[in-house]
Amino acid sequence: MLEGRNKDVHENQDDDGIVRVGEAFGIGNEFTGVQVRKVWTRQGERLELTVPRTERRILLDAMQLEIITAQDPEKFSELFAIQFEAHEGPQP
């Protein structure tokens, strides 16, 4: 769903049209950590999420964030299971 928009943290941010960035803050637990910041692009405001451990990054606009908020928590459990299986491989 969101994979196509992921970018490497080290890519040139000019490619995303970022013209201004807000202050980053982190959210984490014993399994992972995510850096979050608001950025302004030529197309409007975005929320930038970065996972430093994997160097994955995504920019989400307001409509994408609204779609996320409409999901049931079970949907995230399904996505987590898919991601976990991709890293661990199929279980016998």
Side-chain angles (χ1 to χ4, degrees), residues 78-92:
E78 292 171 20
L79 293 171
F80 178 75
I82 291 167
Q83 185 70 16
F84 182 73
E85 186 174 302
H87 286 293
E88 298 294 320
Q91 301 298 316

Side-chain angles (χ1 to χ4, degrees), residues 51-81:
V51 179
R53 180 180 55 83
T54 61
E55 297 186 342
R56 301 288 291 185
R57 177 174 158 264
I58 189 168
L59 297 177
L60 301 172
D61 65 23
M63 290 190 71
Q64 292 166 320
L65 291 168
E66 182 177 347
I67 290 168
I68 290 170
T69 64
Q71 302 306 308
D72 291 323
E74 293 81 22
K75 182 64 176 177
F76 294 101
S77 296
E78 292 171 20
L79 293 171
F80 178 75

Side-chain angles (χ1 to χ4, degrees), residues 20-40:
R20 192 173 100 201
V21 298
E23 182 140 357
F25 64 93
I27 298 174
N29 61 23
E30 64 271 22
F31 303 108
T32 192
V34 177
Q35 293 291 313
V36 181
R37 71 179 176 175
K38 182 176 180 178
V39 299
W40 289 261

